[in-house]
Amino acid sequence: AQQQHLTPQVAGFLRVTKHYLPHLARLCLISTFLEDGIRMWFQWNEQRDYIEATWNCGYFLATCFVLLNLIGQLGGCVLILSRNFVQYACFGLFGIIALQTVAYSILWDLKFLMRNLALGGGLLLLLAESRSEGKSMFAGVPSMGESSPKQYMQLGGRVLLVLMFMTLLHFDSSFFSILQNMVGTALIILVAIGFKTKLAALTLVLWLLAINVYFNAFWTIPAYKPMHDFLKYDFFQTTSVIGGLLLVVALGPGGVSMDEKKKEW
């Protein structure tokens, strides 16, 4: 019943990939945290000095901040990939996002704030997935249906992915940019409202993949140039959104979506 509204090609793709698509989705989704945790290790002194200078908090607290970021992110990623304590790992990564948003003054930078919120959306989708596998973490919460909280997490995750997509739009007047924005926006709206969700999400994945490799090719720029770090950040953030969309493809849109409502009609 779940695949009635899919084209034969998409249904076939999902059948072939259903066993390893969720693993790939999770890896892509947490790639930002993985890369940032590794960067904390290699740029330990620079990160500590930056926090110490920005917040005037002293050597010890700055070291604790970098250590917490390192262990929190890498530990959370290992737990999510190994499917152990996924819900606690997600909450830990939510905490890291909140901590970094304040520590790096991201709160006042709309583009970075939207990206962090979108990462939160990806984690919500991971939470929804782990909830469908394990016991409810909303055991005592009254709900309209058995999986109501999970459905609203999936809806929240989809909507927050839209924020990330908006930061990737190019605001210039070239024909290609306008076309790219229109097609991409149409697809992401379909994902958000849950209409032809899997097809729209899969199309968006392929499109973002092409844009990511073409525009964010950080490996073509020497590591000592600032642009290398900017592109690397963009590359892994976009990869995380691709992971979130792949999770939508693997899980489906959930109950709060037009695809599900169509079955009732």
Side-chain angles (χ1 to χ4, degrees):
Q2 182 126 41
Q3 297 190 351
Q4 280 176 355
H5 55 274
L6 299 178
T7 64
Q9 292 84 352
V10 176
F13 172 81
L14 291 176
R15 266 196 306 277
V16 172
T17 59
K18 72 176 177 185
H19 294 300
Y20 53 86
L21 192 63
H23 297 291
L24 178 64
R26 288 191 286 267
L27 179 62
C28 288
L29 217 157
I30 61 162
S31 62
T32 299
F33 299 108
L34 211 50
E35 189 273 331
D36 199 50
I38 293 167
R39 188 168 58 88
M40 290 287 163
W41 174 262
F42 285 107
Q43 296 181 0
W44 181 280
N45 293 333
E46 294 98 311
Q47 294 295 330
R48 185 198 59 224
D49 293 346
Y50 172 81
I51 293 297
E52 191 179 355
T54 307
W55 292 96
N56 212 9
C57 60
Y59 181 90
F60 177 72
L61 281 178
T63 304
C64 287
F65 172 83
V66 179
L67 187 64
L68 184 63
N69 266 285
L70 174 73
I71 294 171
Q73 291 186 108
L74 294 182
C77 290
V78 168
L79 290 176
I80 285 168
L81 289 177
S82 63
R83 315 304 294 136
N84 291 309
F85 307 106
V86 174
Q87 292 172 3
Y88 298 111
C90 286
F91 288 131
L93 290 175
F94 275 124
I96 296 281
I97 291 175
L99 190 65
Q100 289 190 351
T101 301
V102 174
Y104 293 109
S105 307
I106 288 170
L107 214 51
W108 317 120
D109 186 320
L110 189 60
K111 185 174 180 179
F112 283 100
L113 181 63
M114 283 164 76
R115 290 193 171 190
N116 271 14
L117 284 171
L119 275 180
L123 290 175
L124 262 183
L125 289 170
L126 275 176
L127 265 179
E129 186 206 21
S130 73
R131 189 179 143 67
S132 65
E133 290 176 351
K135 290 182 179 175
S136 168
M137 63 179 190
F138 290 91
V141 179
S143 63
M144 298 184 311
E146 195 185 336
S147 56
S148 183
K150 177 198 163 192
Q151 291 170 0
Y152 285 107
M153 282 193 284
Q154 283 179 275
L155 173 66
R158 291 202 319 270
V159 169
L160 286 171
L161 282 176
V162 176
L163 292 177
M164 173 66 170
F165 179 78
M166 285 168 67
T167 67
L168 301 172
L169 295 176
H170 296 273
F171 296 104
D172 56 62
S173 54
S174 72
F175 173 73
F176 181 70
S177 287
I178 292 169
L179 180 69
Q180 191 177 305
N181 289 351
M182 282 168 63
V183 172
T185 304
L187 288 170
I188 201 75
I189 287 170
L190 289 179
V191 171
I193 64 174
F195 182 71
K196 299 280 184 195
T197 319
K198 291 187 176 186
L199 179 62
L202 194 56
T203 309
L204 209 46
V205 162
L206 297 173
W207 182 69
L208 282 178
L209 197 60
I211 283 179
N212 204 20
V213 172
Y214 184 74
F215 285 111
N216 297 327
F218 65 89
W219 52 88
T220 60
I221 290 171
Y224 61 85
K225 292 192 173 179
M227 185 53 89
H228 176 90
D229 282 341
F230 280 119
L231 289 182
K232 188 195 260 188
Y233 179 82
D234 272 3
F235 179 87
F236 283 103
Q237 287 267 344
T238 308
T239 304
S240 286
V241 175
I242 289 172
L245 288 165
L246 280 174
L247 214 50
V248 170
V249 174
L251 283 182
V256 189
S257 65
M258 286 184 70
D259 285 344
E260 286 297 317
K261 293 290 175 272
K262 271 194 309 188
K263 293 177 192 174
E264 294 171 19
W265 299 336

